[in-house]
């Protein structure tokens, strides 16, 4: 009987050890990393939404691209150092891709404002910035697909009698380097359900932005709150 109790005690001890949770260390940028609901506005030099374009047309500057709230990511680099992190829009700001239908109909070229770039960070005051930092966001290409023609402009067929198609690159939009200045504010935001959360705000400019300054704005303001994962806050 003693042997049975002894064996049971060993098995019980082993089960506790096997279920013990290991401590998992966070990343170096844990306090600034996360997912965020954000909106993009066009603002003047004071950071206020513009009220009209240079030609006098009314423009609130709010939700400038008409994207509504999008998800933005901030996360550590592969080096996992405490002085830099990624800002990544997941290609949701690629206006060239969003506006491709306009190009097909009107021949109008949208630039891409996609952003995936490294910024310098300060963990003490939760600020981050970059100056014309390299942008790894997605570009966009418009291709024209037409049938191959001979010198007499007749359609060319292959040996099986199928039309030979030719892809021609019409135009290409590549991402622009970006300058960013921003901050994460602890418990300074509110979700749709009223709960308190962290907020994020930063100003961004694109080098050689083709829409600046014709629309009258100085830069873009990106602002929002930490993603909650709750449907009621989406």
């Amino acid at each position: 009987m003693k042997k049975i109790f002894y064996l049971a005690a060993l098995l019980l001890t082993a089960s506790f050890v096997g279920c013990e949770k290991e401590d998992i260390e966070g990343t170096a940028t844990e306090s600034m990393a996360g997912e965020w609901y954000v909106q993009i506005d066009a603002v003047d030099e004071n950071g206020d939404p513009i009220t009209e374009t240079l030609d006098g047309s009314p423009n609130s500057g709010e939700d400038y691209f008409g994207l509504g709230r999008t998800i933005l990511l901030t996360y550590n680099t592969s080096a996992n150092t405490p002085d830099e992190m990624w800002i990544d829009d997941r290609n949701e700001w690629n206006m060239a891709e969003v506006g491709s239908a306009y190009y097909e109909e009107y021949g109008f070229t949208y630039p891409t404002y996609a952003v995936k770039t490294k910024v310098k960070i300060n963990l003490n005051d939760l600020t981050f910035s970059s100056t014309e930092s390299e942008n790894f966001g997605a570009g966009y290409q418009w291709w024209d697909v037409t049938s191959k023609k001979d010198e007499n402009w007749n359609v060319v067929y292959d040996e099986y009698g199928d039309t030979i198609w030719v892809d021609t690159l019409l135009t290409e939009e590549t991402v622009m380097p970006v300058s960013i200045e921003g901050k994460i504010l602890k418990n300074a935001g509110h979700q749709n359900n009223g709960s308190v959360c962290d907020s994020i705000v930063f100003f961004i400019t694109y080098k050689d932005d083709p829409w600046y300054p014709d629309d009258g704005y100085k830069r873009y303001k990106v602002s929002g709150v930490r993603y909650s994962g709750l449907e009621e806050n989406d």
Side-chain angles (χ1 to χ4, degrees), residues 78-134:
S78 58
N80 195 30
T81 57
D83 60 349
E84 65 178 359
M85 71 178 181
W86 285 101
I87 289 182
D88 185 351
D89 79 323
R90 307 188 309 170
N91 199 36
E92 293 195 32
W93 303 353
N94 191 338
M95 295 306 299
E97 183 173 30
V98 172
S100 59
Y102 287 92
Y103 180 83
E104 294 173 1
E105 185 171 356
Y106 306 110
F108 181 78
T109 303
Y110 274 83
T112 172
Y113 289 90
V115 172
K116 183 179 180 181
T117 194
K118 292 180 183 179
V119 293
K120 294 296 183 182
I121 66 175
N122 185 322
L123 293 176
N124 293 322
D125 58 12
L126 304 182
T127 56
F128 53 93
S129 63
S130 74
T131 302
E132 294 187 4
S133 55
E134 187 174 4

Tab-separated table of all heavy atoms in Angstrom, residues 78-134:
chain	number	residue	atom	x	y	z
A	78	SER	N	13.498	42.986	-36.333
A	78	SER	CA	14.087	41.658	-36.126
A	78	SER	C	15.240	41.712	-35.132
A	78	SER	O	15.509	40.738	-34.427
A	78	SER	CB	14.568	41.081	-37.459
A	78	SER	OG	15.507	41.947	-38.072
A	79	ALA	N	15.907	42.866	-35.058
A	79	ALA	CA	16.996	43.033	-34.093
A	79	ALA	C	16.473	43.170	-32.671
A	79	ALA	O	17.224	42.990	-31.703
A	79	ALA	CB	17.848	44.252	-34.455
A	80	ASN	N	15.181	43.502	-32.526
A	80	ASN	CA	14.527	43.632	-31.227
A	80	ASN	C	15.274	44.577	-30.287
A	80	ASN	O	15.486	44.284	-29.111
A	80	ASN	CB	14.372	42.258	-30.563
A	80	ASN	CG	13.388	42.286	-29.405
A	80	ASN	OD1	12.445	43.074	-29.391
A	80	ASN	ND2	13.625	41.440	-28.413
A	81	THR	N	15.668	45.730	-30.817
A	81	THR	CA	16.346	46.733	-30.013
A	81	THR	C	15.320	47.724	-29.460
A	81	THR	O	14.238	47.899	-30.036
A	81	THR	CB	17.387	47.484	-30.855
A	81	THR	OG1	16.736	48.061	-32.000
A	81	THR	CG2	18.481	46.539	-31.321
A	82	PRO	N	15.635	48.396	-28.334
A	82	PRO	CA	14.675	49.291	-27.706
A	82	PRO	C	14.640	50.697	-28.298
A	82	PRO	O	14.014	51.587	-27.720
A	82	PRO	CB	15.154	49.330	-26.250
A	82	PRO	CG	16.632	49.161	-26.367
A	82	PRO	CD	16.844	48.204	-27.496
A	83	ASP	N	15.319	50.903	-29.418
A	83	ASP	CA	15.388	52.253	-29.982
A	83	ASP	C	14.739	52.392	-31.353
A	83	ASP	O	14.811	53.448	-31.968
A	83	ASP	CB	16.842	52.720	-30.052
A	83	ASP	CG	17.703	51.818	-30.934
A	83	ASP	OD1	17.236	50.733	-31.325
A	83	ASP	OD2	18.844	52.222	-31.235
A	84	GLU	N	14.091	51.340	-31.854
A	84	GLU	CA	13.418	51.456	-33.137
A	84	GLU	C	12.286	50.437	-33.242
A	84	GLU	O	12.265	49.423	-32.544
A	84	GLU	CB	14.400	51.270	-34.302
A	84	GLU	CG	15.018	49.889	-34.382
A	84	GLU	CD	15.952	49.732	-35.570
A	84	GLU	OE1	16.116	50.698	-36.349
A	84	GLU	OE2	16.529	48.633	-35.733
A	85	MET	N	11.337	50.745	-34.119
A	85	MET	CA	10.223	49.828	-34.364
A	85	MET	C	9.690	50.060	-35.772
A	85	MET	O	10.040	51.041	-36.443
A	85	MET	CB	9.100	50.026	-33.340
A	85	MET	CG	8.322	51.304	-33.486
A	85	MET	SD	6.966	51.415	-32.271
A	85	MET	CE	6.255	53.014	-32.730
A	86	TRP	N	8.831	49.149	-36.210
A	86	TRP	CA	8.176	49.270	-37.501
A	86	TRP	C	6.827	49.956	-37.345
A	86	TRP	O	6.120	49.746	-36.357
A	86	TRP	CB	7.922	47.898	-38.115
A	86	TRP	CG	9.119	47.205	-38.691
A	86	TRP	CD1	9.850	46.201	-38.109
A	86	TRP	CD2	9.713	47.426	-39.979
A	86	TRP	NE1	10.855	45.793	-38.952
A	86	TRP	CE2	10.798	46.518	-40.103
A	86	TRP	CE3	9.425	48.303	-41.032
A	86	TRP	CZ2	11.598	46.487	-41.248
A	86	TRP	CZ3	10.216	48.256	-42.169
A	86	TRP	CH2	11.297	47.364	-42.270
A	87	ILE	N	6.460	50.756	-38.344
A	87	ILE	CA	5.093	51.231	-38.524
A	87	ILE	C	4.621	50.652	-39.840
A	87	ILE	O	5.273	50.810	-40.873
A	87	ILE	CB	5.021	52.761	-38.546
A	87	ILE	CG1	5.279	53.312	-37.139
A	87	ILE	CG2	3.668	53.242	-39.056
A	87	ILE	CD1	5.179	54.813	-37.042
A	88	ASP	N	3.480	49.975	-39.825
A	88	ASP	CA	3.057	49.173	-40.973
A	88	ASP	C	1.545	49.320	-41.162
A	88	ASP	O	0.763	48.977	-40.281
A	88	ASP	CB	3.432	47.711	-40.711
A	88	ASP	CG	3.157	46.798	-41.885
A	88	ASP	OD1	2.519	47.225	-42.854
A	88	ASP	OD2	3.585	45.625	-41.811
A	89	ASP	N	1.135	49.812	-42.323
A	89	ASP	CA	-0.293	50.010	-42.590
A	89	ASP	C	-0.945	48.795	-43.240
A	89	ASP	O	-2.126	48.837	-43.585
A	89	ASP	CB	-0.504	51.241	-43.479
A	89	ASP	CG	-0.221	50.936	-44.951
A	89	ASP	OD1	0.722	50.163	-45.224
A	89	ASP	OD2	-0.939	51.455	-45.819
A	90	ARG	N	-0.189	47.723	-43.430
A	90	ARG	CA	-0.679	46.481	-44.034
A	90	ARG	C	-1.201	46.709	-45.463
A	90	ARG	O	-2.069	46.016	-45.956
A	90	ARG	CB	-1.788	45.840	-43.205
A	90	ARG	CG	-1.459	45.623	-41.746
A	90	ARG	CD	-2.532	44.816	-41.053
A	90	ARG	NE	-3.873	45.377	-41.301
A	90	ARG	CZ	-5.005	44.772	-40.971
A	90	ARG	NH1	-4.979	43.590	-40.382
A	90	ARG	NH2	-6.171	45.324	-41.212
A	91	ASN	N	-0.665	47.730	-46.124
A	91	ASN	CA	-1.014	48.072	-47.510
A	91	ASN	C	-2.422	48.663	-47.639
A	91	ASN	O	-2.944	48.805	-48.740
A	91	ASN	CB	-0.887	46.856	-48.436
A	91	ASN	CG	-0.775	47.251	-49.904
A	91	ASN	OD1	-0.163	48.265	-50.234
A	91	ASN	ND2	-1.373	46.479	-50.784
A	92	GLU	N	-3.042	49.037	-46.511
A	92	GLU	CA	-4.387	49.602	-46.583
A	92	GLU	C	-4.394	51.034	-47.088
A	92	GLU	O	-5.449	51.555	-47.483
A	92	GLU	CB	-5.071	49.521	-45.216
A	92	GLU	CG	-5.369	48.089	-44.773
A	92	GLU	CD	-6.355	48.032	-43.623
A	92	GLU	OE1	-7.229	48.908	-43.549
A	92	GLU	OE2	-6.248	47.123	-42.801
A	93	TRP	N	-3.231	51.705	-47.091
A	93	TRP	CA	-3.172	53.079	-47.571
A	93	TRP	C	-2.663	53.154	-49.013
A	93	TRP	O	-2.280	54.212	-49.482
A	93	TRP	CB	-2.273	53.928	-46.681
A	93	TRP	CG	-2.666	53.945	-45.240
A	93	TRP	CD1	-3.785	53.412	-44.673
A	93	TRP	CD2	-1.924	54.514	-44.162
A	93	TRP	NE1	-3.793	53.612	-43.324
A	93	TRP	CE2	-2.667	54.285	-42.968
A	93	TRP	CE3	-0.723	55.201	-44.087
A	93	TRP	CZ2	-2.216	54.720	-41.729
A	93	TRP	CZ3	-0.278	55.630	-42.851
A	93	TRP	CH2	-1.024	55.401	-41.678
A	94	ASN	N	-2.663	52.039	-49.703
A	94	ASN	CA	-2.196	52.012	-51.086
A	94	ASN	C	-3.291	52.571	-51.983
A	94	ASN	O	-4.106	51.848	-52.546
A	94	ASN	CB	-1.843	50.584	-51.499
A	94	ASN	CG	-1.108	50.538	-52.825
A	94	ASN	OD1	-1.192	51.454	-53.632
A	94	ASN	ND2	-0.389	49.455	-53.050
A	95	MET	N	-3.315	53.902	-52.122
A	95	MET	CA	-4.372	54.546	-52.885
A	95	MET	C	-4.281	54.223	-54.373
A	95	MET	O	-5.281	54.293	-55.090
A	95	MET	CB	-4.316	56.057	-52.667
A	95	MET	CG	-4.623	56.470	-51.242
A	95	MET	SD	-6.211	55.820	-50.638
A	95	MET	CE	-7.340	56.587	-51.788
A	96	ALA	N	-3.093	53.880	-54.848
A	96	ALA	CA	-2.963	53.473	-56.249
A	96	ALA	C	-3.787	52.217	-56.505
A	96	ALA	O	-4.480	52.099	-57.512
A	96	ALA	CB	-1.497	53.232	-56.591
A	97	GLU	N	-3.729	51.291	-55.573
A	97	GLU	CA	-4.489	50.058	-55.720
A	97	GLU	C	-5.978	50.321	-55.527
A	97	GLU	O	-6.819	49.823	-56.277
A	97	GLU	CB	-3.999	49.023	-54.716
A	97	GLU	CG	-4.674	47.674	-54.840
A	97	GLU	CD	-4.047	46.630	-53.932
A	97	GLU	OE1	-3.525	47.002	-52.860
A	97	GLU	OE2	-4.089	45.449	-54.289
A	98	VAL	N	-6.312	51.123	-54.516
A	98	VAL	CA	-7.708	51.444	-54.252
A	98	VAL	C	-8.331	52.161	-55.449
A	98	VAL	O	-9.478	51.923	-55.809
A	98	VAL	CB	-7.834	52.326	-52.993
A	98	VAL	CG1	-9.263	52.819	-52.813
A	98	VAL	CG2	-7.380	51.546	-51.765
A	99	GLY	N	-7.547	53.055	-56.085
A	99	GLY	CA	-8.070	53.862	-57.184
A	99	GLY	C	-7.832	53.288	-58.562
A	99	GLY	O	-7.975	53.998	-59.559
A	100	SER	N	-7.454	52.024	-58.667
A	100	SER	CA	-7.136	51.445	-59.963
A	100	SER	C	-8.321	51.489	-60.921
A	100	SER	O	-8.162	51.633	-62.131
A	100	SER	CB	-6.640	50.006	-59.808
A	100	SER	OG	-7.622	49.199	-59.174
A	101	ALA	N	-9.534	51.389	-60.388
A	101	ALA	CA	-10.720	51.445	-61.239
A	101	ALA	C	-10.837	52.814	-61.909
A	101	ALA	O	-11.274	52.918	-63.062
A	101	ALA	CB	-11.971	51.150	-60.422
A	102	TYR	N	-10.430	53.870	-61.196
A	102	TYR	CA	-10.466	55.204	-61.783
A	102	TYR	C	-9.474	55.303	-62.940
A	102	TYR	O	-9.742	55.947	-63.947
A	102	TYR	CB	-10.133	56.262	-60.728
A	102	TYR	CG	-11.230	56.489	-59.730
A	102	TYR	CD1	-11.252	55.782	-58.535
A	102	TYR	CD2	-12.251	57.395	-59.977
A	102	TYR	CE1	-12.265	55.978	-57.610
A	102	TYR	CE2	-13.267	57.601	-59.054
A	102	TYR	CZ	-13.273	56.886	-57.872
A	102	TYR	OH	-14.273	57.068	-56.971
A	103	TYR	N	-8.335	54.668	-62.763
A	103	TYR	CA	-7.344	54.718	-63.838
A	103	TYR	C	-7.875	54.029	-65.087
A	103	TYR	O	-7.723	54.525	-66.208
A	103	TYR	CB	-6.028	54.055	-63.404
A	103	TYR	CG	-4.994	54.106	-64.507
A	103	TYR	CD1	-4.221	55.239	-64.698
A	103	TYR	CD2	-4.832	53.028	-65.375
A	103	TYR	CE1	-3.299	55.301	-65.723
A	103	TYR	CE2	-3.917	53.086	-66.404
A	103	TYR	CZ	-3.146	54.221	-66.575
A	103	TYR	OH	-2.254	54.279	-67.604
A	104	GLU	N	-8.500	52.890	-64.905
A	104	GLU	CA	-9.029	52.147	-66.043
A	104	GLU	C	-10.097	52.944	-66.783
A	104	GLU	O	-10.208	52.872	-68.006
A	104	GLU	CB	-9.608	50.816	-65.563
A	104	GLU	CG	-8.564	49.857	-65.010
A	104	GLU	CD	-9.190	48.619	-64.376
A	104	GLU	OE1	-10.438	48.529	-64.408
A	104	GLU	OE2	-8.441	47.768	-63.873
A	105	GLU	N	-10.875	53.741	-66.031
A	105	GLU	CA	-11.963	54.477	-66.662
A	105	GLU	C	-11.536	55.855	-67.155
A	105	GLU	O	-11.959	56.297	-68.229
A	105	GLU	CB	-13.125	54.622	-65.687
A	105	GLU	CG	-14.361	55.260	-66.291
A	105	GLU	CD	-15.570	55.191	-65.368
A	105	GLU	OE1	-15.450	54.573	-64.280
A	105	GLU	OE2	-16.618	55.750	-65.730
A	106	TYR	N	-10.687	56.557	-66.356
A	106	TYR	CA	-10.359	57.931	-66.677
A	106	TYR	C	-8.885	58.163	-67.006
A	106	TYR	O	-8.511	59.253	-67.425
A	106	TYR	CB	-10.744	58.853	-65.510
A	106	TYR	CG	-12.182	58.718	-65.088
A	106	TYR	CD1	-12.524	58.129	-63.873
A	106	TYR	CD2	-13.207	59.181	-65.908
A	106	TYR	CE1	-13.850	58.009	-63.481
A	106	TYR	CE2	-14.536	59.057	-65.511
A	106	TYR	CZ	-14.845	58.470	-64.304
A	106	TYR	OH	-16.157	58.348	-63.926
A	107	GLY	N	-8.063	57.153	-66.828
A	107	GLY	CA	-6.634	57.348	-67.054
A	107	GLY	C	-5.983	58.184	-65.968
A	107	GLY	O	-4.911	58.748	-66.149
A	108	PHE	N	-6.636	58.273	-64.800
A	108	PHE	CA	-6.137	59.085	-63.694
A	108	PHE	C	-5.237	58.248	-62.802
A	108	PHE	O	-5.608	57.166	-62.380
A	108	PHE	CB	-7.312	59.631	-62.887
A	108	PHE	CG	-6.906	60.504	-61.739
A	108	PHE	CD1	-6.528	61.817	-61.957
A	108	PHE	CD2	-6.889	60.021	-60.447
A	108	PHE	CE1	-6.157	62.626	-60.894
A	108	PHE	CE2	-6.511	60.826	-59.387
A	108	PHE	CZ	-6.147	62.133	-59.620
A	109	THR	N	-4.057	58.751	-62.528
A	109	THR	CA	-3.083	58.001	-61.747
A	109	THR	C	-3.085	58.432	-60.287
A	109	THR	O	-2.827	59.594	-59.978
A	109	THR	CB	-1.666	58.188	-62.321
A	109	THR	OG1	-1.668	57.797	-63.682
A	109	THR	CG2	-0.658	57.356	-61.546
A	110	TYR	N	-3.380	57.516	-59.409
A	110	TYR	CA	-3.265	57.765	-57.981
A	110	TYR	C	-1.875	57.372	-57.500
A	110	TYR	O	-1.362	56.327	-57.907
A	110	TYR	CB	-4.274	56.922	-57.199
A	110	TYR	CG	-5.639	57.521	-57.045
A	110	TYR	CD1	-6.579	57.406	-58.054
A	110	TYR	CD2	-5.993	58.194	-55.887
A	110	TYR	CE1	-7.850	57.949	-57.910
A	110	TYR	CE2	-7.253	58.733	-55.729
A	110	TYR	CZ	-8.178	58.606	-56.751
A	110	TYR	OH	-9.427	59.139	-56.599
A	111	PRO	N	-1.269	58.147	-56.611
A	111	PRO	CA	-0.041	57.674	-55.969
A	111	PRO	C	-0.381	56.668	-54.882
A	111	PRO	O	-1.530	56.575	-54.453
A	111	PRO	CB	0.555	58.957	-55.361
A	111	PRO	CG	-0.639	59.825	-55.113
A	111	PRO	CD	-1.643	59.505	-56.194
A	112	THR	N	0.604	55.921	-54.440
A	112	THR	CA	0.384	55.020	-53.318
A	112	THR	C	0.921	55.665	-52.047
A	112	THR	O	2.018	56.226	-52.046
A	112	THR	CB	1.040	53.649	-53.520
A	112	THR	OG1	0.927	52.900	-52.312
A	112	THR	CG2	2.504	53.746	-53.897
A	113	TYR	N	0.135	55.603	-51.002
A	113	TYR	CA	0.553	56.160	-49.717
A	113	TYR	C	0.786	55.047	-48.692
A	113	TYR	O	0.767	55.302	-47.485
A	113	TYR	CB	-0.492	57.154	-49.211
A	113	TYR	CG	-0.503	58.429	-50.030
A	113	TYR	CD1	-1.314	58.555	-51.144
A	113	TYR	CD2	0.343	59.490	-49.719
A	113	TYR	CE1	-1.306	59.703	-51.922
A	113	TYR	CE2	0.365	60.641	-50.480
A	113	TYR	CZ	-0.466	60.741	-51.587
A	113	TYR	OH	-0.443	61.878	-52.351
A	114	ALA	N	1.003	53.849	-49.169
A	114	ALA	CA	1.291	52.734	-48.276
A	114	ALA	C	2.547	53.031	-47.459
A	114	ALA	O	3.488	53.674	-47.940
A	114	ALA	CB	1.479	51.453	-49.082
A	115	VAL	N	2.560	52.552	-46.228
A	115	VAL	CA	3.693	52.816	-45.330
A	115	VAL	C	4.122	51.542	-44.616
A	115	VAL	O	3.300	50.845	-44.009
A	115	VAL	CB	3.346	53.880	-44.271
A	115	VAL	CG1	4.463	53.985	-43.238
A	115	VAL	CG2	3.121	55.220	-44.921
A	116	LYS	N	5.383	51.243	-44.725
A	116	LYS	CA	6.019	50.243	-43.882
A	116	LYS	C	7.448	50.719	-43.698
A	116	LYS	O	8.285	50.575	-44.581
A	116	LYS	CB	5.990	48.850	-44.510
A	116	LYS	CG	6.594	47.788	-43.593
A	116	LYS	CD	6.545	46.398	-44.213
A	116	LYS	CE	7.156	45.371	-43.269
A	116	LYS	NZ	7.143	43.998	-43.859
A	117	THR	N	7.705	51.323	-42.556
A	117	THR	CA	9.001	51.960	-42.348
A	117	THR	C	9.449	51.828	-40.901
A	117	THR	O	8.635	51.628	-39.998
A	117	THR	CB	8.925	53.452	-42.747
A	117	THR	OG1	10.234	54.005	-42.852
A	117	THR	CG2	8.125	54.253	-41.733
A	118	LYS	N	10.744	51.952	-40.689
A	118	LYS	CA	11.296	51.932	-39.336
A	118	LYS	C	11.374	53.353	-38.799
A	118	LYS	O	11.741	54.282	-39.521
A	118	LYS	CB	12.703	51.327	-39.340
A	118	LYS	CG	12.754	49.848	-39.665
A	118	LYS	CD	14.199	49.358	-39.645
A	118	LYS	CE	14.290	47.894	-40.047
A	118	LYS	NZ	15.698	47.413	-40.049
A	119	VAL	N	11.026	53.503	-37.540
A	119	VAL	CA	11.126	54.801	-36.876
A	119	VAL	C	11.974	54.655	-35.620
A	119	VAL	O	12.017	53.588	-35.005
A	119	VAL	CB	9.739	55.362	-36.503
A	119	VAL	CG1	8.947	55.703	-37.749
A	119	VAL	CG2	8.964	54.385	-35.624
A	120	LYS	N	12.638	55.718	-35.256
A	120	LYS	CA	13.364	55.763	-33.993
A	120	LYS	C	12.372	56.015	-32.871
A	120	LYS	O	11.430	56.801	-33.032
A	120	LYS	CB	14.425	56.870	-34.020
A	120	LYS	CG	15.553	56.622	-35.005
A	120	LYS	CD	16.355	55.384	-34.625
A	120	LYS	CE	17.530	55.158	-35.563
A	120	LYS	NZ	18.280	53.922	-35.212
A	121	ILE	N	12.571	55.344	-31.734
A	121	ILE	CA	11.626	55.492	-30.636
A	121	ILE	C	12.330	55.848	-29.336
A	121	ILE	O	13.530	55.592	-29.163
A	121	ILE	CB	10.798	54.208	-30.426
A	121	ILE	CG1	11.702	53.058	-29.961
A	121	ILE	CG2	10.055	53.837	-31.700
A	121	ILE	CD1	10.920	51.788	-29.612
A	122	ASN	N	11.573	56.460	-28.456
A	122	ASN	CA	12.045	56.764	-27.106
A	122	ASN	C	11.048	56.141	-26.134
A	122	ASN	O	9.911	56.607	-26.012
A	122	ASN	CB	12.126	58.279	-26.903
A	122	ASN	CG	12.728	58.662	-25.562
A	122	ASN	OD1	12.482	58.015	-24.551
A	122	ASN	ND2	13.524	59.725	-25.550
A	123	LEU	N	11.454	55.088	-25.461
A	123	LEU	CA	10.549	54.372	-24.569
A	123	LEU	C	10.186	55.169	-23.321
A	123	LEU	O	9.178	54.885	-22.665
A	123	LEU	CB	11.168	53.037	-24.158
A	123	LEU	CG	11.342	51.998	-25.277
A	123	LEU	CD1	12.050	50.763	-24.759
A	123	LEU	CD2	9.990	51.630	-25.874
A	124	ASN	N	10.995	56.176	-22.992
A	124	ASN	CA	10.720	56.971	-21.787
A	124	ASN	C	9.491	57.859	-21.960
A	124	ASN	O	8.658	57.973	-21.057
A	124	ASN	CB	11.935	57.822	-21.423
A	124	ASN	CG	13.115	56.980	-20.984
A	124	ASN	OD1	12.945	55.971	-20.310
A	124	ASN	ND2	14.316	57.380	-21.376
A	125	ASP	N	9.385	58.510	-23.123
A	125	ASP	CA	8.231	59.380	-23.347
A	125	ASP	C	7.319	58.867	-24.453
A	125	ASP	O	6.372	59.551	-24.858
A	125	ASP	CB	8.678	60.816	-23.647
A	125	ASP	CG	9.595	60.902	-24.870
A	125	ASP	OD1	9.710	59.907	-25.618
A	125	ASP	OD2	10.184	61.973	-25.084
A	126	LEU	N	7.595	57.655	-24.963
A	126	LEU	CA	6.753	56.986	-25.956
A	126	LEU	C	6.616	57.777	-27.258
A	126	LEU	O	5.568	57.775	-27.903
A	126	LEU	CB	5.369	56.686	-25.377
A	126	LEU	CG	5.337	55.847	-24.083
A	126	LEU	CD1	3.890	55.609	-23.669
A	126	LEU	CD2	6.072	54.529	-24.265
A	127	THR	N	7.684	58.471	-27.641
A	127	THR	CA	7.678	59.208	-28.901
A	127	THR	C	8.394	58.413	-29.980
A	127	THR	O	9.194	57.508	-29.690
A	127	THR	CB	8.363	60.576	-28.747
A	127	THR	OG1	9.701	60.387	-28.248
A	127	THR	CG2	7.590	61.462	-27.784
A	128	PHE	N	8.125	58.756	-31.229
A	128	PHE	CA	8.798	58.092	-32.348
A	128	PHE	C	8.911	59.063	-33.527
A	128	PHE	O	8.090	59.985	-33.666
A	128	PHE	CB	8.058	56.821	-32.757
A	128	PHE	CG	6.590	56.998	-33.036
A	128	PHE	CD1	6.121	57.246	-34.325
A	128	PHE	CD2	5.652	56.892	-32.006
A	128	PHE	CE1	4.763	57.394	-34.584
A	128	PHE	CE2	4.290	57.039	-32.271
A	128	PHE	CZ	3.848	57.300	-33.553
A	129	SER	N	9.920	58.854	-34.363
A	129	SER	CA	10.139	59.774	-35.477
A	129	SER	C	11.045	59.144	-36.530
A	129	SER	O	11.760	58.168	-36.277
A	129	SER	CB	10.774	61.079	-34.978
A	129	SER	OG	12.058	60.817	-34.425
A	130	SER	N	10.991	59.727	-37.713
A	130	SER	CA	11.908	59.361	-38.793
A	130	SER	C	12.019	60.545	-39.734
A	130	SER	O	11.123	61.400	-39.794
A	130	SER	CB	11.416	58.125	-39.560
A	130	SER	OG	10.323	58.460	-40.399
A	131	THR	N	13.122	60.607	-40.480
A	131	THR	CA	13.318	61.660	-41.469
A	131	THR	C	13.641	61.029	-42.807
A	131	THR	O	14.702	60.418	-42.981
A	131	THR	CB	14.469	62.607	-41.051
A	131	THR	OG1	14.175	63.171	-39.766
A	131	THR	CG2	14.649	63.726	-42.077
A	132	GLU	N	12.689	61.142	-43.736
A	132	GLU	CA	12.825	60.550	-45.066
A	132	GLU	C	13.332	59.107	-44.961
A	132	GLU	O	14.268	58.701	-45.636
A	132	GLU	CB	13.735	61.397	-45.954
A	132	GLU	CG	13.136	62.757	-46.279
A	132	GLU	CD	13.938	63.546	-47.283
A	132	GLU	OE1	14.946	63.015	-47.818
A	132	GLU	OE2	13.572	64.715	-47.548
A	133	SER	N	12.685	58.357	-44.095
A	133	SER	CA	13.081	56.963	-43.897
A	133	SER	C	12.638	56.105	-45.077
A	133	SER	O	11.644	56.392	-45.755
A	133	SER	CB	12.481	56.421	-42.597
A	133	SER	OG	11.077	56.591	-42.573
A	134	GLU	N	13.392	55.041	-45.312
A	134	GLU	CA	13.088	54.141	-46.414
A	134	GLU	C	11.722	53.499	-46.189
A	134	GLU	O	11.394	53.076	-45.089
A	134	GLU	CB	14.167	53.068	-46.532
A	134	GLU	CG	14.027	52.179	-47.747
A	134	GLU	CD	15.194	51.215	-47.919
A	134	GLU	OE1	16.085	51.200	-47.033
A	134	GLU	OE2	15.216	50.487	-48.924
